[in-house]
Each structure stands twice: as C-alpha cells, then as structure tokens.
Amino acid sequence: IKNLPYEVQSLVFTDKGKKLIVGCAKHQNSKEAIYNKNEDFLHIYDMKTLQKIGSLNNSINCSSLAVFQSGDTLISGSKDHSISFWNFRKLEQWKTLSGFSRNVLAELMTQDCEKLILACDDTNIVVWNLKFTTLNTIFSGHTGNPVCLAVLQNGSKLVSGATDKSIRVWNLEEKKIVGVLQGHSATV
C-alpha cells in the first residue's frame, strides 16, 4: 500500500490477519491553518488484494487501535480524549467513552474482554472494567509516556514500554508494580 494521502497513526490486523485497519489523519502542511477533523478516517484494507474495502469516519487523530477477541469490534483511541467502539463489519460506531483528561496513546483489551487498558500522555496507565464501564486502576510510575502495552494470556500481568526508556511489569490482580527493566537507549 503506497502513496497514501494521509499520515498513518496506528495499525491493527483483524479477521485472522485477512484485514488491516489503518488509523490516519490527512497530511497537514504549514500553509493550512484550519484542521478538518472530517478528514480523519479508519481505513480497512483486504490483505489479499491490498485494496481498500471500507472507511469509518473517526474523530480527531486516531492514535491507537485494538480489536476485541471476537474480531467484530474495533476500539480506537483518539487525541480528542475519547475511546470509540466500532463494528467494523457494518462500518458503524456504536459507543464512545469520552471525558478522559488526557490523550490515549495505546490501548489493549485483556483476553477475557473484561478490561480495557489505556496508555495516556500523562505517564499513567488506566484500567477500565468494560462490563460496568468503571475505572478499575490507575498505574503510575513511568516518568515518560507509556507507548506500548502487552498482557500475559492469563491476564495476570501487564507490561508497558515508555518514552522514559523503561519497561515496567504490573500485577493486574494485586494492582501493583512487579518490576522495572531499564538500560534501554531509546523509547521502548
């Protein structure tokens, strides 16, 4: 996929690798003073043909993407401090969580689909209970913004990499830090 007319912000595979969803924003040049949020999209590509097969109109700058294990629901984090839930097969948005105090840089769903974990640009990691749509935990400790997340398959531990050049391991059940891996020369 070449010569895209927009800036790629995030990527995620879905449908067992058959589809690629690209979160993007229209290229902005210094001469443009007005930003048009209607030119931000989530584009869906067929990986066999590399052809675009659909688009979802996103809010401002999709910064991160995750897919429910079922494969039908896409979650997008945006720089307008919101999280949107999409049925990408029907090309429609079905829920938005807004009012976050910070931009969402990355998100991750636990394998049981009960927790949504958000890496925010205030150096915190926020864990939401999706069943009740309530805040579960806030993990603090990074001195730079967390930019990537991973969870063990059993859902017991979370790993985060950040701009502070560290990796932190968190116990999701006990809601505390387990350890810090340092010594990296760049953002993890």
Side-chain angles (χ1 to χ4, degrees), residues 22-43:
V22 180
C24 54
K26 184 172 172 68
H27 284 301
Q28 297 180 44
N29 63 45
S30 58
K31 295 178 183 177
E32 293 177 1
I34 299 173
Y35 178 75
N36 184 353
K37 75 175 188 175
N38 294 323
E39 294 177 348
D40 288 339
F41 291 93
L42 300 171
H43 294 286

Side-chain angles (χ1 to χ4, degrees), residues 123-142:
T123 73
N124 290 321
I125 298 166
V126 180
V127 181
W128 284 87
N129 178 316
L130 285 177
K131 186 175 182 180
F132 302 107
T133 319
T134 56
L135 180 64
N136 182 296
T137 307
I138 297 176
F139 289 116
S140 299
H142 279 294

Side-chain angles (χ1 to χ4, degrees), residues 73-76 82-87 92-98 129-133:
T73 300
L74 172 73
I75 304 166
S76 64
S82 71
I83 298 288
S84 296
F85 295 80
W86 306 83
N87 180 321
E92 64 186 21
Q93 183 177 0
W94 59 269
K95 185 173 190 168
T96 298
L97 300 176
S98 57
N129 178 316
L130 285 177
K131 186 175 182 180
F132 302 107
T133 319

Side-chain angles (χ1 to χ4, degrees), residues 65-79:
L65 295 168
V67 177
F68 267 81
Q69 189 174 357
S70 66
D72 290 339
T73 300
L74 172 73
I75 304 166
S76 64
S78 296
K79 293 181 181 173

Side-chain angles (χ1 to χ4, degrees), residues 17-62:
K18 294 178 184 172
K19 293 183 178 63
L20 173 68
I21 301 178
V22 180
C24 54
K26 184 172 172 68
H27 284 301
Q28 297 180 44
N29 63 45
S30 58
K31 295 178 183 177
E32 293 177 1
I34 299 173
Y35 178 75
N36 184 353
K37 75 175 188 175
N38 294 323
E39 294 177 348
D40 288 339
F41 291 93
L42 300 171
H43 294 286
I44 304 168
Y45 290 90
D46 181 294
M47 288 308 296
K48 190 173 185 178
T49 64
L50 298 181
Q51 297 297 310
K52 185 167 73 168
I53 56 175
S55 294
L56 302 167
N57 192 356
N58 191 33
S59 59
I60 299 172
N61 279 343
C62 174

